[in-house]
Amino acid sequence: SCLTFSIGTIIKNTLIYKIIHYTRPMVCCRDKKFLRYKLGRFFDMMDHNKDGKFQKTDYLGLGNAGMDNMAAIGYAVTAAHLKKVQTILGPAYNGLTCFGFGGKNKKRWVGYLSVMTQMPGFKMIGKHLFKRVSQVYDFDGSGDFSIDEFTQVFCKPIGLSEEEAKESFKLLDTNHDGVLDIEEFAKGITHYFSDLEENKWAHMFGRIDYNPDKWDDDDESKEEVKEGIEDTGIKLGD
């Protein structure tokens, strides 16, 4: 019912703000400028229709584009493949953005995730989420990705070239066995979302040429998330 939905929304939004409010002293002193840069860069890739938002339709559109790519190079895309896009990426979007809260625009996405990914337990939760998502990219259900699967289903839909896909594949294949297993993929993307300093994982979506002096960013994470909650009509104090 509408009443149940409203109560659920209030609880969800108030919880987000309370968590951030009470954990803010723990994370506020960290320099998150590079992380925020990475998150902003990833947002641009995930905004499939380039309207300045990351919506569920964007995520599903990326998954469907991956299926189209596989079909174009001769793979048989079945109804089961298309269903997997819907049943996995839809719920994953809700988990990643808190039911769309973090996807309203780039500023909201960066503010929300730059806080949430620094909270205790994120790496464990993140790996679980990304392992689930990776099942979409595992086209043949083998438990790992071939270079075709990784390139066509994951990399090309977000704008990476085949050369960039090969570099990313090599970076993520930490045991150098020529295949990318789900654990390796989930580990890499979790590091991308949470590591504050530049390391090899930062380049998994193409080589980054980051110059902090040329990228002006004020960390207003708490304010950005608070503003988002108040957009729903809930007024929060300081």
Side-chain angles (χ1 to χ4, degrees):
S1 70
C2 291
L3 178 60
T4 302
F5 174 79
S6 298
I7 292 171
T9 302
I10 291 170
I11 292 171
K12 178 184 70 178
N13 288 340
T14 305
L15 257 178
I16 292 170
Y17 182 69
K18 289 298 184 184
I19 290 170
I20 290 167
H21 182 75
Y22 288 115
T23 61
R24 180 68 173 172
M26 179 175 60
V27 299
C28 69
C29 297
R30 299 176 183 173
D31 183 357
K32 294 183 284 182
K33 194 171 185 179
F34 181 63
L35 173 62
R36 290 171 63 84
Y37 171 81
K38 289 190 296 177
L39 293 172
R41 187 170 178 266
F42 189 72
F43 176 92
D44 292 336
M45 296 178 184
M46 300 298 282
D47 178 13
H48 186 53
N49 64 5
K50 305 305 178 188
D51 65 351
K53 303 174 184 178
F54 175 40
Q55 300 175 304
K56 188 178 290 187
T57 51
D58 289 306
Y59 211 8
L60 297 177
L62 290 168
N64 288 328
M67 296 301 114
D68 291 343
N69 290 343
M70 292 297 279
I73 62 171
Y75 286 82
V77 176
T78 67
H81 287 113
L82 298 176
K83 183 178 180 181
K84 191 160 64 169
V85 169
Q86 300 288 325
T87 57
I88 292 179
L89 293 189
Y93 173 86
N94 291 338
L96 191 58
T97 66
C98 197
F99 297 87
F101 172 83
K104 181 179 179 182
N105 53 46
K106 188 173 182 177
K107 180 180 178 183
R108 175 80 58 77
W109 166 267
V110 171
Y112 172 66
L113 282 176
S114 66
V115 171
M116 298 305 286
T117 60
Q118 297 308 298
M119 290 186 178
F122 170 78
K123 280 188 166 62
M124 180 182 68
I125 295 169
K127 280 185 69 175
H128 176 78
L129 173 65
F130 296 130
K131 284 171 76 171
R132 176 69 173 156
V133 167
S134 69
Q135 294 176 29
V136 172
Y137 313 129
D138 177 16
F139 186 81
D140 62 6
S142 63
D144 52 42
F145 312 139
S146 67
I147 187 63
D148 274 351
E149 290 172 317
F150 185 68
T151 301
Q152 302 298 330
V153 186
F154 179 68
C155 294
K156 289 183 75 173
I158 61 174
L160 299 186
S161 68
E162 291 197 14
E163 188 59 38
E164 287 173 323
K166 289 177 183 176
E167 289 184 14
S168 181
F169 189 90
K170 185 182 296 186
L171 182 153
L172 291 168
D173 179 19
T174 53
N175 65 1
H176 311 296
D177 64 353
V179 294
L180 184 59
D181 66 45
I182 286 175
E183 186 72 27
E184 289 172 323
F185 174 82
K187 177 182 177 181
I189 197 168
T190 302
H191 277 290
Y192 181 94
F193 267 73
S194 58
D195 290 356
L196 297 176
E197 297 180 354
E198 186 171 358
N199 54 32
K200 69 175 186 176
W201 310 115
H203 302 282
M204 69 172 288
F205 299 111
R207 189 65 50 182
I208 286 180
D209 183 17
Y210 173 69
N211 186 338
D213 296 329
K214 293 183 179 180
W215 195 68
D216 185 28
D217 174 64
D218 294 322
D219 183 357
E220 299 176 349
S221 305
K222 179 181 176 182
E223 291 72 22
E224 288 160 359
V225 177
K226 178 182 176 184
E227 177 185 296
I229 294 171
E230 293 189 339
D231 279 351
T232 68
I234 300 170
K235 296 301 179 183
L236 299 168
D238 295 329

Tab-separated table of all heavy atoms in Angstrom, residues 53-112:
chain	number	residue	atom	x	y	z
A	53	LYS	N	21.841	11.199	-15.530
A	53	LYS	CA	21.324	10.384	-14.445
A	53	LYS	C	21.804	8.951	-14.635
A	53	LYS	O	22.125	8.538	-15.745
A	53	LYS	CB	19.789	10.387	-14.439
A	53	LYS	CG	19.158	11.762	-14.330
A	53	LYS	CD	17.658	11.665	-14.490
A	53	LYS	CE	17.017	13.050	-14.476
A	53	LYS	NZ	15.534	12.959	-14.692
A	54	PHE	N	21.864	8.213	-13.530
A	54	PHE	CA	22.110	6.776	-13.624
A	54	PHE	C	20.861	6.088	-13.109
A	54	PHE	O	20.640	5.983	-11.904
A	54	PHE	CB	23.346	6.366	-12.825
A	54	PHE	CG	23.574	4.872	-12.782
A	54	PHE	CD1	23.363	4.089	-13.905
A	54	PHE	CD2	23.992	4.255	-11.612
A	54	PHE	CE1	23.558	2.710	-13.861
A	54	PHE	CE2	24.195	2.877	-11.561
A	54	PHE	CZ	23.977	2.108	-12.688
A	55	GLN	N	20.015	5.647	-14.043
A	55	GLN	CA	18.750	5.030	-13.696
A	55	GLN	C	18.799	3.532	-13.970
A	55	GLN	O	19.706	3.030	-14.641
A	55	GLN	CB	17.623	5.691	-14.495
A	55	GLN	CG	17.496	7.186	-14.209
A	55	GLN	CD	16.464	7.858	-15.092
A	55	GLN	OE1	16.530	7.788	-16.306
A	55	GLN	NE2	15.503	8.519	-14.460
A	56	LYS	N	17.786	2.839	-13.469
A	56	LYS	CA	17.749	1.392	-13.690
A	56	LYS	C	17.723	1.070	-15.183
A	56	LYS	O	18.317	0.088	-15.631
A	56	LYS	CB	16.538	0.780	-12.984
A	56	LYS	CG	16.534	-0.743	-13.008
A	56	LYS	CD	15.347	-1.318	-12.249
A	56	LYS	CE	15.458	-1.114	-10.769
A	56	LYS	NZ	14.391	-1.813	-10.004
A	57	THR	N	17.051	1.900	-15.958
A	57	THR	CA	16.995	1.674	-17.404
A	57	THR	C	18.387	1.769	-18.030
A	57	THR	O	18.664	1.104	-19.035
A	57	THR	CB	16.052	2.679	-18.080
A	57	THR	OG1	16.401	4.016	-17.661
A	57	THR	CG2	14.604	2.404	-17.723
A	58	ASP	N	19.268	2.588	-17.465
A	58	ASP	CA	20.652	2.666	-17.952
A	58	ASP	C	21.366	1.342	-17.728
A	58	ASP	O	22.042	0.820	-18.624
A	58	ASP	CB	21.424	3.778	-17.229
A	58	ASP	CG	20.983	5.168	-17.633
A	58	ASP	OD1	20.986	5.457	-18.837
A	58	ASP	OD2	20.646	5.950	-16.740
A	59	TYR	N	21.223	0.806	-16.522
A	59	TYR	CA	21.920	-0.433	-16.169
A	59	TYR	C	21.417	-1.593	-17.034
A	59	TYR	O	22.204	-2.389	-17.567
A	59	TYR	CB	21.704	-0.736	-14.693
A	59	TYR	CG	22.847	-1.460	-14.016
A	59	TYR	CD1	24.064	-1.675	-14.658
A	59	TYR	CD2	22.702	-1.933	-12.710
A	59	TYR	CE1	25.105	-2.335	-14.015
A	59	TYR	CE2	23.746	-2.580	-12.069
A	59	TYR	CZ	24.934	-2.792	-12.732
A	59	TYR	OH	25.965	-3.445	-12.104
A	60	LEU	N	20.100	-1.672	-17.183
A	60	LEU	CA	19.526	-2.719	-18.021
A	60	LEU	C	19.924	-2.516	-19.477
A	60	LEU	O	20.187	-3.484	-20.210
A	60	LEU	CB	18.005	-2.732	-17.876
A	60	LEU	CG	17.463	-3.054	-16.478
A	60	LEU	CD1	15.946	-2.958	-16.456
A	60	LEU	CD2	17.908	-4.440	-16.023
A	61	GLY	N	19.983	-1.259	-19.906
A	61	GLY	CA	20.395	-0.959	-21.273
A	61	GLY	C	21.814	-1.400	-21.556
A	61	GLY	O	22.121	-1.914	-22.645
A	62	LEU	N	22.706	-1.230	-20.577
A	62	LEU	CA	24.088	-1.691	-20.735
A	62	LEU	C	24.140	-3.210	-20.854
A	62	LEU	O	24.889	-3.760	-21.673
A	62	LEU	CB	24.933	-1.221	-19.544
A	62	LEU	CG	25.209	0.283	-19.467
A	62	LEU	CD1	25.783	0.647	-18.097
A	62	LEU	CD2	26.146	0.720	-20.578
A	63	GLY	N	23.343	-3.895	-20.026
A	63	GLY	CA	23.306	-5.352	-20.087
A	63	GLY	C	22.785	-5.849	-21.426
A	63	GLY	O	23.341	-6.785	-22.028
A	64	ASN	N	21.722	-5.208	-21.932
A	64	ASN	CA	21.162	-5.604	-23.220
A	64	ASN	C	22.121	-5.295	-24.367
A	64	ASN	O	22.196	-6.056	-25.342
A	64	ASN	CB	19.822	-4.900	-23.444
A	64	ASN	CG	18.725	-5.451	-22.553
A	64	ASN	OD1	18.715	-6.633	-22.226
A	64	ASN	ND2	17.806	-4.595	-22.136
A	65	ALA	N	22.859	-4.184	-24.242
A	65	ALA	CA	23.863	-3.856	-25.266
A	65	ALA	C	24.936	-4.933	-25.324
A	65	ALA	O	25.423	-5.289	-26.408
A	65	ALA	CB	24.489	-2.491	-24.971
A	66	GLY	N	25.303	-5.460	-24.159
A	66	GLY	CA	26.274	-6.551	-24.113
A	66	GLY	C	25.771	-7.793	-24.821
A	66	GLY	O	26.520	-8.469	-25.545
A	67	MET	N	24.476	-8.102	-24.642
A	67	MET	CA	23.892	-9.254	-25.337
A	67	MET	C	23.888	-9.023	-26.852
A	67	MET	O	24.170	-9.936	-27.637
A	67	MET	CB	22.465	-9.509	-24.837
A	67	MET	CG	22.358	-9.899	-23.365
A	67	MET	SD	23.264	-11.411	-22.926
A	67	MET	CE	24.533	-10.730	-21.838
A	68	ASP	N	23.578	-7.798	-27.268
A	68	ASP	CA	23.603	-7.461	-28.696
A	68	ASP	C	25.009	-7.646	-29.274
A	68	ASP	O	25.173	-8.135	-30.398
A	68	ASP	CB	23.152	-6.017	-28.921
A	68	ASP	CG	21.669	-5.809	-28.634
A	68	ASP	OD1	20.919	-6.810	-28.583
A	68	ASP	OD2	21.265	-4.642	-28.458
A	69	ASN	N	26.012	-7.258	-28.503
A	69	ASN	CA	27.402	-7.409	-28.956
A	69	ASN	C	27.763	-8.878	-29.148
A	69	ASN	O	28.447	-9.250	-30.113
A	69	ASN	CB	28.369	-6.775	-27.948
A	69	ASN	CG	28.285	-5.274	-27.926
A	69	ASN	OD1	27.764	-4.640	-28.834
A	69	ASN	ND2	28.799	-4.671	-26.853
A	70	MET	N	27.320	-9.724	-28.215
A	70	MET	CA	27.612	-11.153	-28.328
A	70	MET	C	26.925	-11.745	-29.561
A	70	MET	O	27.518	-12.560	-30.291
A	70	MET	CB	27.184	-11.889	-27.062
A	70	MET	CG	28.001	-11.540	-25.827
A	70	MET	SD	29.756	-11.986	-25.967
A	70	MET	CE	29.701	-13.744	-25.590
A	71	ALA	N	25.690	-11.332	-29.790
A	71	ALA	CA	24.970	-11.822	-30.970
A	71	ALA	C	25.675	-11.386	-32.253
A	71	ALA	O	25.749	-12.151	-33.223
A	71	ALA	CB	23.530	-11.305	-30.962
A	72	ALA	N	26.225	-10.180	-32.249
A	72	ALA	CA	26.870	-9.633	-33.443
A	72	ALA	C	28.132	-10.392	-33.833
A	72	ALA	O	28.538	-10.366	-34.999
A	72	ALA	CB	27.189	-8.158	-33.233
A	73	ILE	N	28.769	-11.057	-32.840
A	73	ILE	CA	29.984	-11.807	-33.180
A	73	ILE	C	29.710	-13.322	-33.253
A	73	ILE	O	30.636	-14.126	-33.216
A	73	ILE	CB	31.142	-11.517	-32.193
A	73	ILE	CG1	30.795	-11.933	-30.763
A	73	ILE	CG2	31.539	-10.045	-32.252
A	73	ILE	CD1	31.991	-11.851	-29.806
A	74	GLY	N	28.408	-13.670	-33.331
A	74	GLY	CA	28.068	-15.053	-33.632
A	74	GLY	C	27.582	-15.918	-32.498
A	74	GLY	O	27.299	-17.109	-32.701
A	75	TYR	N	27.451	-15.373	-31.280
A	75	TYR	CA	26.956	-16.176	-30.160
A	75	TYR	C	25.419	-16.213	-30.188
A	75	TYR	O	24.774	-15.247	-30.615
A	75	TYR	CB	27.419	-15.592	-28.829
A	75	TYR	CG	28.885	-15.833	-28.521
A	75	TYR	CD1	29.871	-15.009	-29.062
A	75	TYR	CD2	29.282	-16.889	-27.706
A	75	TYR	CE1	31.220	-15.227	-28.791
A	75	TYR	CE2	30.620	-17.108	-27.428
A	75	TYR	CZ	31.584	-16.273	-27.970
A	75	TYR	OH	32.914	-16.490	-27.696
A	76	ALA	N	24.852	-17.300	-29.725
A	76	ALA	CA	23.396	-17.449	-29.679
A	76	ALA	C	22.868	-16.862	-28.373
A	76	ALA	O	23.090	-17.418	-27.290
A	76	ALA	CB	23.012	-18.925	-29.787
A	77	VAL	N	22.202	-15.724	-28.471
A	77	VAL	CA	21.615	-15.078	-27.292
A	77	VAL	C	20.197	-15.609	-27.116
A	77	VAL	O	19.346	-15.455	-27.997
A	77	VAL	CB	21.593	-13.543	-27.450
A	77	VAL	CG1	20.902	-12.891	-26.262
A	77	VAL	CG2	23.015	-13.012	-27.601
A	78	THR	N	19.944	-16.224	-25.985
A	78	THR	CA	18.644	-16.860	-25.729
A	78	THR	C	17.786	-15.990	-24.809
A	78	THR	O	18.253	-14.998	-24.234
A	78	THR	CB	18.846	-18.228	-25.069
A	78	THR	OG1	19.407	-18.019	-23.749
A	78	THR	CG2	19.798	-19.091	-25.890
A	79	ALA	N	16.547	-16.425	-24.660
A	79	ALA	CA	15.648	-15.734	-23.734
A	79	ALA	C	16.189	-15.803	-22.310
A	79	ALA	O	15.996	-14.875	-21.509
A	79	ALA	CB	14.257	-16.363	-23.802
A	80	ALA	N	16.891	-16.885	-21.994
A	80	ALA	CA	17.469	-17.029	-20.651
A	80	ALA	C	18.551	-15.978	-20.400
A	80	ALA	O	18.663	-15.449	-19.285
A	80	ALA	CB	18.050	-18.431	-20.474
A	81	HIS	N	19.342	-15.673	-21.408
A	81	HIS	CA	20.357	-14.617	-21.261
A	81	HIS	C	19.691	-13.269	-20.995
A	81	HIS	O	20.132	-12.514	-20.123
A	81	HIS	CB	21.204	-14.517	-22.533
A	81	HIS	CG	22.168	-15.640	-22.726
A	81	HIS	ND1	22.051	-16.548	-23.751
A	81	HIS	CD2	23.261	-16.021	-22.014
A	81	HIS	CE1	23.036	-17.431	-23.682
A	81	HIS	NE2	23.788	-17.130	-22.626
A	82	LEU	N	18.650	-12.974	-21.750
A	82	LEU	CA	17.970	-11.685	-21.589
A	82	LEU	C	17.255	-11.602	-20.241
A	82	LEU	O	17.221	-10.536	-19.615
A	82	LEU	CB	16.977	-11.482	-22.734
A	82	LEU	CG	17.599	-11.424	-24.132
A	82	LEU	CD1	16.518	-11.313	-25.201
A	82	LEU	CD2	18.577	-10.247	-24.249
A	83	LYS	N	16.731	-12.730	-19.794
A	83	LYS	CA	16.070	-12.745	-18.486
A	83	LYS	C	17.079	-12.505	-17.369
A	83	LYS	O	16.790	-11.830	-16.378
A	83	LYS	CB	15.349	-14.076	-18.274
A	83	LYS	CG	14.572	-14.127	-16.963
A	83	LYS	CD	13.828	-15.454	-16.806
A	83	LYS	CE	13.056	-15.483	-15.492
A	83	LYS	NZ	12.334	-16.783	-15.317
A	84	LYS	N	18.284	-13.055	-17.537
A	84	LYS	CA	19.323	-12.885	-16.525
A	84	LYS	C	19.693	-11.415	-16.365
A	84	LYS	O	19.964	-10.951	-15.248
A	84	LYS	CB	20.550	-13.721	-16.889
A	84	LYS	CG	21.573	-13.833	-15.793
A	84	LYS	CD	22.509	-15.023	-15.976
A	84	LYS	CE	23.369	-14.950	-17.185
A	84	LYS	NZ	24.446	-15.975	-17.192
A	85	VAL	N	19.713	-10.671	-17.477
A	85	VAL	CA	19.977	-9.228	-17.407
A	85	VAL	C	18.960	-8.562	-16.487
A	85	VAL	O	19.309	-7.758	-15.604
A	85	VAL	CB	19.926	-8.596	-18.812
A	85	VAL	CG1	19.935	-7.067	-18.713
A	85	VAL	CG2	21.107	-9.076	-19.661
A	86	GLN	N	17.684	-8.893	-16.675
A	86	GLN	CA	16.615	-8.281	-15.893
A	86	GLN	C	16.658	-8.692	-14.426
A	86	GLN	O	16.548	-7.855	-13.528
A	86	GLN	CB	15.245	-8.663	-16.490
A	86	GLN	CG	15.024	-8.223	-17.919
A	86	GLN	CD	14.829	-6.730	-18.053
A	86	GLN	OE1	14.240	-6.095	-17.172
A	86	GLN	NE2	15.321	-6.157	-19.138
A	87	THR	N	16.805	-9.996	-14.193
A	87	THR	CA	16.681	-10.500	-12.820
A	87	THR	C	17.909	-10.224	-11.959
A	87	THR	O	17.807	-10.206	-10.728
A	87	THR	CB	16.406	-12.019	-12.815
A	87	THR	OG1	17.462	-12.690	-13.529
A	87	THR	CG2	15.079	-12.331	-13.482
A	88	ILE	N	19.062	-9.985	-12.590
A	88	ILE	CA	20.269	-9.708	-11.813
A	88	ILE	C	20.566	-8.211	-11.749
A	88	ILE	O	20.809	-7.661	-10.672
A	88	ILE	CB	21.477	-10.470	-12.389
A	88	ILE	CG1	21.286	-11.968	-12.175
A	88	ILE	CG2	22.785	-10.004	-11.734
A	88	ILE	CD1	22.404	-12.834	-12.727
A	89	LEU	N	20.537	-7.540	-12.898
A	89	LEU	CA	20.932	-6.127	-12.894
A	89	LEU	C	19.887	-5.216	-12.245
A	89	LEU	O	20.249	-4.195	-11.659
A	89	LEU	CB	21.226	-5.659	-14.317
A	89	LEU	CG	22.457	-6.276	-14.988
A	89	LEU	CD1	22.753	-5.567	-16.307
A	89	LEU	CD2	23.677	-6.242	-14.068
A	90	GLY	N	18.616	-5.587	-12.315
A	90	GLY	CA	17.585	-4.769	-11.661
A	90	GLY	C	17.802	-4.679	-10.153
A	90	GLY	O	17.973	-3.582	-9.601
A	91	PRO	N	17.835	-5.824	-9.456
A	91	PRO	CA	18.100	-5.788	-8.011
A	91	PRO	C	19.485	-5.228	-7.665
A	91	PRO	O	19.649	-4.569	-6.635
A	91	PRO	CB	17.988	-7.262	-7.600
A	91	PRO	CG	17.085	-7.869	-8.621
A	91	PRO	CD	17.414	-7.170	-9.899
A	92	ALA	N	20.480	-5.503	-8.521
A	92	ALA	CA	21.819	-4.976	-8.257
A	92	ALA	C	21.816	-3.455	-8.308
A	92	ALA	O	22.501	-2.799	-7.508
A	92	ALA	CB	22.819	-5.533	-9.266
A	93	TYR	N	21.058	-2.899	-9.219
A	93	TYR	CA	20.930	-1.432	-9.283
A	93	TYR	C	20.358	-0.898	-7.970
A	93	TYR	O	20.846	0.105	-7.425
A	93	TYR	CB	20.025	-1.022	-10.453
A	93	TYR	CG	19.720	0.455	-10.459
A	93	TYR	CD1	20.587	1.356	-11.059
A	93	TYR	CD2	18.574	0.951	-9.832
A	93	TYR	CE1	20.327	2.716	-11.046
A	93	TYR	CE2	18.304	2.311	-9.815
A	93	TYR	CZ	19.179	3.189	-10.421
A	93	TYR	OH	18.917	4.542	-10.386
A	94	ASN	N	19.323	-1.554	-7.458
A	94	ASN	CA	18.726	-1.113	-6.192
A	94	ASN	C	19.740	-1.147	-5.063
A	94	ASN	O	19.799	-0.240	-4.228
A	94	ASN	CB	17.536	-2.006	-5.843
A	94	ASN	CG	16.366	-1.814	-6.791
A	94	ASN	OD1	16.248	-0.778	-7.439
A	94	ASN	ND2	15.515	-2.823	-6.892
A	95	GLY	N	20.576	-2.199	-5.037
A	95	GLY	CA	21.583	-2.309	-3.986
A	95	GLY	C	22.676	-1.278	-4.119
A	95	GLY	O	23.144	-0.719	-3.121
A	96	LEU	N	23.074	-1.002	-5.353
A	96	LEU	CA	24.177	-0.067	-5.587
A	96	LEU	C	23.782	1.373	-5.339
A	96	LEU	O	24.595	2.184	-4.883
A	96	LEU	CB	24.668	-0.235	-7.030
A	96	LEU	CG	25.977	0.453	-7.432
A	96	LEU	CD1	27.138	-0.005	-6.549
A	96	LEU	CD2	26.281	0.175	-8.899
A	97	THR	N	22.525	1.708	-5.627
A	97	THR	CA	22.091	3.114	-5.535
A	97	THR	C	21.090	3.364	-4.416
A	97	THR	O	20.593	4.480	-4.297
A	97	THR	CB	21.434	3.551	-6.852
A	97	THR	OG1	20.207	2.814	-7.034
A	97	THR	CG2	22.353	3.335	-8.038
A	98	CYS	N	20.811	2.341	-3.610
A	98	CYS	CA	19.765	2.433	-2.588
A	98	CYS	C	18.434	2.820	-3.245
A	98	CYS	O	17.854	3.857	-2.971
A	98	CYS	CB	20.124	3.425	-1.478
A	98	CYS	SG	19.129	3.218	0.009
A	99	PHE	N	17.998	1.963	-4.169
A	99	PHE	CA	16.726	2.123	-4.867
A	99	PHE	C	16.642	3.445	-5.642
A	99	PHE	O	15.615	4.110	-5.641
A	99	PHE	CB	15.548	1.981	-3.897
A	99	PHE	CG	15.458	0.619	-3.273
A	99	PHE	CD1	16.162	0.327	-2.106
A	99	PHE	CD2	14.726	-0.396	-3.869
A	99	PHE	CE1	16.110	-0.944	-1.542
A	99	PHE	CE2	14.676	-1.666	-3.301
A	99	PHE	CZ	15.366	-1.937	-2.145
A	100	GLY	N	17.744	3.792	-6.283
A	100	GLY	CA	17.757	4.987	-7.124
A	100	GLY	C	18.212	6.252	-6.431
A	100	GLY	O	18.488	7.263	-7.087
A	101	PHE	N	18.301	6.215	-5.107
A	101	PHE	CA	18.694	7.406	-4.349
A	101	PHE	C	20.037	7.964	-4.831
A	101	PHE	O	20.189	9.166	-5.011
A	101	PHE	CB	18.779	7.048	-2.860
A	101	PHE	CG	19.349	8.135	-1.997
A	101	PHE	CD1	18.552	9.162	-1.549
A	101	PHE	CD2	20.693	8.125	-1.639
A	101	PHE	CE1	19.080	10.176	-0.763
A	101	PHE	CE2	21.229	9.124	-0.856
A	101	PHE	CZ	20.417	10.162	-0.413
A	102	GLY	N	21.022	7.073	-5.044
A	102	GLY	CA	22.353	7.531	-5.418
A	102	GLY	C	22.533	7.766	-6.902
A	102	GLY	O	23.619	8.154	-7.333
A	103	GLY	N	21.489	7.547	-7.695
A	103	GLY	CA	21.642	7.679	-9.137
A	103	GLY	C	21.023	8.919	-9.737
A	103	GLY	O	21.018	9.084	-10.963
A	104	LYS	N	20.490	9.819	-8.888
A	104	LYS	CA	19.746	10.966	-9.412
A	104	LYS	C	20.581	11.818	-10.349
A	104	LYS	O	20.117	12.299	-11.371
A	104	LYS	CB	19.216	11.816	-8.258
A	104	LYS	CG	18.419	13.022	-8.743
A	104	LYS	CD	17.885	13.853	-7.605
A	104	LYS	CE	17.109	15.059	-8.145
A	104	LYS	NZ	16.601	15.920	-7.063
A	105	ASN	N	21.823	12.053	-9.986
A	105	ASN	CA	22.738	12.813	-10.833
A	105	ASN	C	24.168	12.486	-10.396
A	105	ASN	O	24.382	11.750	-9.434
A	105	ASN	CB	22.453	14.329	-10.751
A	105	ASN	CG	22.431	14.852	-9.330
A	105	ASN	OD1	23.314	14.533	-8.525
A	105	ASN	ND2	21.415	15.635	-8.983
A	106	LYS	N	25.115	13.047	-11.107
A	106	LYS	CA	26.507	12.725	-10.835
A	106	LYS	C	26.948	13.179	-9.449
A	106	LYS	O	27.654	12.460	-8.727
A	106	LYS	CB	27.387	13.368	-11.902
A	106	LYS	CG	28.852	12.971	-11.863
A	106	LYS	CD	29.579	13.529	-13.073
A	106	LYS	CE	31.028	13.128	-13.125
A	106	LYS	NZ	31.682	13.633	-14.360
A	107	LYS	N	26.514	14.349	-9.047
A	107	LYS	CA	26.887	14.873	-7.737
A	107	LYS	C	26.375	13.959	-6.623
A	107	LYS	O	27.097	13.655	-5.669
A	107	LYS	CB	26.321	16.283	-7.567
A	107	LYS	CG	26.644	16.932	-6.241
A	107	LYS	CD	26.041	18.331	-6.166
A	107	LYS	CE	26.321	18.984	-4.822
A	107	LYS	NZ	25.683	20.324	-4.714
A	108	ARG	N	25.124	13.525	-6.746
A	108	ARG	CA	24.545	12.637	-5.732
A	108	ARG	C	25.292	11.306	-5.698
A	108	ARG	O	25.593	10.771	-4.634
A	108	ARG	CB	23.069	12.405	-6.052
A	108	ARG	CG	22.361	11.416	-5.156
A	108	ARG	CD	21.955	12.033	-3.827
A	108	ARG	NE	21.108	13.176	-4.032
A	108	ARG	CZ	19.806	13.127	-4.362
A	108	ARG	NH1	19.205	11.959	-4.492
A	108	ARG	NH2	19.121	14.234	-4.509
A	109	TRP	N	25.574	10.746	-6.863
A	109	TRP	CA	26.284	9.470	-6.968
A	109	TRP	C	27.638	9.542	-6.270
A	109	TRP	O	27.986	8.696	-5.449
A	109	TRP	CB	26.449	9.119	-8.444
A	109	TRP	CG	27.406	8.028	-8.770
A	109	TRP	CD1	28.728	8.187	-9.083
A	109	TRP	CD2	27.156	6.622	-8.854
A	109	TRP	NE1	29.314	6.971	-9.356
A	109	TRP	CE2	28.371	5.995	-9.220
A	109	TRP	CE3	26.021	5.838	-8.666
A	109	TRP	CZ2	28.474	4.625	-9.391
A	109	TRP	CZ3	26.124	4.466	-8.837
A	109	TRP	CH2	27.336	3.872	-9.195
A	110	VAL	N	28.403	10.568	-6.584
A	110	VAL	CA	29.738	10.720	-6.005
A	110	VAL	C	29.649	10.933	-4.502
A	110	VAL	O	30.394	10.322	-3.721
A	110	VAL	CB	30.493	11.880	-6.683
A	110	VAL	CG1	31.789	12.187	-5.945
A	110	VAL	CG2	30.785	11.552	-8.145
A	111	GLY	N	28.742	11.791	-4.071
A	111	GLY	CA	28.603	12.058	-2.636
A	111	GLY	C	28.175	10.839	-1.850
A	111	GLY	O	28.753	10.517	-0.803
A	112	TYR	N	27.180	10.141	-2.365
A	112	TYR	CA	26.649	8.964	-1.673
A	112	TYR	C	27.696	7.858	-1.581
A	112	TYR	O	27.987	7.335	-0.498
A	112	TYR	CB	25.404	8.471	-2.415
A	112	TYR	CG	24.860	7.154	-1.942
A	112	TYR	CD1	24.323	7.023	-0.665
A	112	TYR	CD2	24.859	6.040	-2.772
A	112	TYR	CE1	23.818	5.811	-0.224
A	112	TYR	CE2	24.353	4.825	-2.345
A	112	TYR	CZ	23.829	4.713	-1.072
A	112	TYR	OH	23.329	3.513	-0.643
